[in-house]
Amino acid sequence: MYYFDPHIHMVSRTTDDYEMLAKMGCVGLSEPAFWAGFDRGSVDGFRDYFCQLTEFEPNRAGWYGIAHYTWLCINAKEAENVELSREVIAMIPEFLDRPGVLGIGEIGLNKNTKNEATIFLEHLDLAARTDEQILIHTPHLEDKYQGTRMILDMLCDDARLNRSRVCVDHVEEHTVRHVLEEGFWAGMTLYPVSKCTPERAVDIVERYGPERLLVNSAGDWGPSKPTAVPDFILAMRLRGHPESLIRRVVYENPLAFFGQSRNFHFAPPDEKNVPGQ
Amino acid sequence: MEVPIGAAELLEREYLGIRAKILEIAATFDRIDRSRGDLVASREMPLIRQALEVLLSEKENATRAEQIQLIFSRPYDEQWIKTLEMPSR
Ligand SMILES: [Zn+2]
C-alpha cells in the first residue's frame, strides 16, 4: 500500500532508510524542523539547517522516488533562548516560497514554560501573517496533558487561524479527543519508548474514526522506528479493517491535509511516468 | 466505529501477551522488594497503585487507557496564563 509518513526527521537517518521506506510503499514524507540533539549557536546555524531541509533532503528522497516536504521553525527546546528564537522567526520568510515548504513546524511546548509559550505565540503570529499551515509538537509523558491543553488554549484564542490547516501531533488517549473536538487535525506518533504503539493507534482510529487523523513515525536520532507506519498498516489489517479505511488514514488524509499548502505538489504514483517509458 | 473482531477471539489472541506483561510487572515489583531501602517517600508508587486499580475496574465506558494516562499526567492548570505571568494580549 502506498503511504505518507507525515512526520519523520530524515536528516538524522541514512540513505538506506530512504531506500527501505520506498520499498515499503512510502511515496511521500514531511520533515518538520526539530532539535538536533544540541542547541544551535546562531541564526546562521538554522539557515544552514533550512537549506539542508529544502535542498539536500528532497534530493536524497528523490533518489528513491519519495516526495519530500518540510516545515520550518525553531523548536520548543531552543525557544528558551528568546533572543535567538526571534532572529530565527524573522529569517524564516526567506524560505517560505521554496518548493515543498508546507508551513511552520514543529512548533509547540516542551516543558510548558513561559518562554516556550511566548515563542509559540510568535510562531502562530508568523503563520497567520504569511497564511502558512502549522504543525505542532506536544510535550512528552507527564507534561503532555497540560502542554496540549495550553497549546489548544493559545490556538483557539487566535481567530485568524483556520483550524483545518493546523495539525496537533503526538496525541494519545488523553489528548486526542480535545484536539479533534476543537476542529484540528491530530497526529499519532508511533514511538518505541514513549508515545503510542501501533495497536493503540488502531484503538484510537476505532474510537474516533479516520476523520482528521494522521499516523507518523517521528523517526529521528533517538531510538525510533522509521517504518512505524507500515507497522500500523499491518496492525489495522490484523484487526480486520478494510484496505479502504487504512488507505484513508495513511494516504488520503495526508494528501488532504498537505494539499492545503500552496507549495504542495504531488504526482500520485499510479499516474506518474515510470522511468524508461 | 465497531471493532471488527469479536471479544472472545480478541482475548484469545492477546491472552499470552497480557499474561507476559502482568508477569513482567510482578517480577519488577518483587525485584524492588528485594532491593535495599524503602519507597515510603516515593512519588511514583501511589501512581502505579492507582493505575492498577483502574485496570481492575468494570468495563462501562472502556476508557482505562485514557484514565491511566491522566493518572501519570500533571493536572491541567486552567489559570496557566496567570501562573506563568504571561503578558496580556
Ligand atoms: Zn518531531
Side-chain angles (χ1 to χ4, degrees):
Chain A
M1 178 175 292
Y2 292 137
Y3 77 91
F4 275 82
D5 192 333
H7 187 145
I8 184 164
H9 300 289
M10 293 307 293
V11 298
S12 309
R13 312 294 320 185
T14 62
T15 298
D16 294 345
D17 284 345
Y18 273 115
E19 185 182 11
M20 177 170 53
L21 293 178
K23 285 176 178 169
M24 291 197 137
C26 181
V27 291
L29 51 84
S30 93
E31 171 158 12
F34 83 140
W35 188 59
F38 60 93
D39 290 352
R40 280 155 283 212
S42 71
V43 68
D44 282 330
F46 282 88
R47 190 178 273 114
D48 289 344
Y49 177 42
F50 296 164
C51 285
Q52 187 180 9
L53 288 174
T54 54
E55 293 168 17
F56 183 59
E57 288 307 322
N59 205 349
R60 204 156 68 110
W63 297 342
Y64 298 96
I66 296 175
H68 181 283
Y69 306 93
T70 193
W71 306 77
L72 305 176
C73 75
I74 176 166
N75 60 88
K77 232 176 149 89
E78 284 165 285
E80 275 305 325
N81 185 340
V82 172
E83 196 184 326
L84 174 62
S85 299
R86 288 184 171 144
E87 285 177 53
V88 174
I89 289 172
M91 176 271 288
I92 288 172
E94 291 174 25
F95 290 85
L96 289 179
D97 289 325
R98 291 201 176 190
V101 176
L102 298 182
I104 305 301
E106 60 185 304
I107 56 172
L109 300 174
N110 179 48
K111 290 287 168 201
N112 305 331
T113 66
K114 180 178 182 172
N115 284 345
E116 290 170 13
T118 302
I119 294 306
F120 180 78
L121 289 168
E122 293 183 18
H123 275 114
L124 288 190
D125 181 61
L126 170 67
R129 284 188 283 109
T130 52
D131 196 31
E132 292 293 337
Q133 286 194 255
I134 301 171
L135 182 66
I136 297 174
H137 165 96
T138 53
H140 305 284
L141 303 172
E142 64 183 4
D143 293 313
K144 181 180 294 293
Y145 187 67
Q146 161 80 356
T148 304
R149 297 294 301 267
M150 285 171 65
I151 284 167
L152 291 175
D153 287 346
M154 290 185 272
L155 289 171
C156 293
D157 197 42
D158 194 332
R160 297 172 299 172
L161 301 177
N162 174 350
R163 297 186 187 190
S164 64
R165 296 182 73 222
V166 178
C167 178
V168 179
D169 219 324
H170 317 321
V171 299
E172 291 180 47
E173 290 88 347
H174 53 323
T175 56
V176 61
R177 182 168 45 84
H178 297 282
V179 172
L180 291 176
E181 274 179 5
E182 294 292 356
F184 301 102
W185 284 75
M188 297 183 285
T189 296
L190 312 179
Y191 208 75
V193 282
S194 56
K195 310 194 179 90
C196 218
T197 60
E199 289 72 24
R200 284 166 52 211
V202 176
D203 293 333
I204 290 175
V205 173
E206 287 174 350
R207 254 207 143 94
Y208 296 93
E211 180 92 22
R212 280 182 283 117
L213 269 185
L214 300 173
V215 184
N216 62 70
S217 70
D220 56 19
W221 44 259
S224 51
K225 199 174 174 196
T227 54
V229 179
D231 290 347
F232 167 82
I233 294 172
L234 180 62
M236 286 285 283
R237 280 186 187 139
L238 295 179
R239 200 74 76 79
H241 289 296
E243 295 294 297
S244 57
L245 175 63
I246 305 173
R247 183 181 155 96
R248 164 95 192 260
V249 178
V250 301
Y251 185 76
E252 290 161 12
N253 275 359
L255 274 180
F257 179 63
F258 295 163
Q260 303 176 88
S261 179
R262 64 194 152 88
N263 290 328
F264 181 74
H265 303 287
F266 178 70
D270 9 34
E271 294 164 24
K272 241 193 286 195
N273 288 329
V274 177
Q277 275 188 343
Chain B
M1 184 183 299
E2 205 178 305
V3 182
I5 295 176
E9 191 191 336
L10 208 47
L11 179 59
E12 193 187 311
R13 196 189 276 190
E14 299 293 340
Y15 178 70
L16 284 180
I18 293 174
R19 178 183 179 276
K21 287 171 200 161
I22 293 176
L23 272 173
E24 198 61 44
I25 294 173
T28 308
F29 283 180
D30 287 347
R31 200 175 310 138
I32 291 169
D33 284 349
R34 286 187 287 109
S35 55
R36 268 190 308 275
D38 64 59
L39 298 174
V40 178
S42 152
R43 189 180 66 88
E44 294 88 356
M45 233 20 234
L47 298 178
I48 291 172
R49 234 171 254 289
Q50 272 185 64
L52 290 172
E53 277 161 24
V54 170
L55 283 186
L56 290 174
S57 61
E58 288 306 311
K59 69 174 181 186
E60 293 295 328
N61 41 12
T63 56
R64 294 183 192 85
E66 183 177 350
Q67 291 176 55
I68 289 174
Q69 288 275 21
L70 288 172
I71 289 170
F72 289 117
S73 298
R74 283 186 219 282
Y76 169 51
D77 170 15
E78 272 179 54
Q79 300 293 312
W80 67 268
I81 292 179
K82 248 192 214 149
T83 310
L84 291 184
E85 298 176 344
M86 296 291 292
S88 58
R89 291 190 294 146

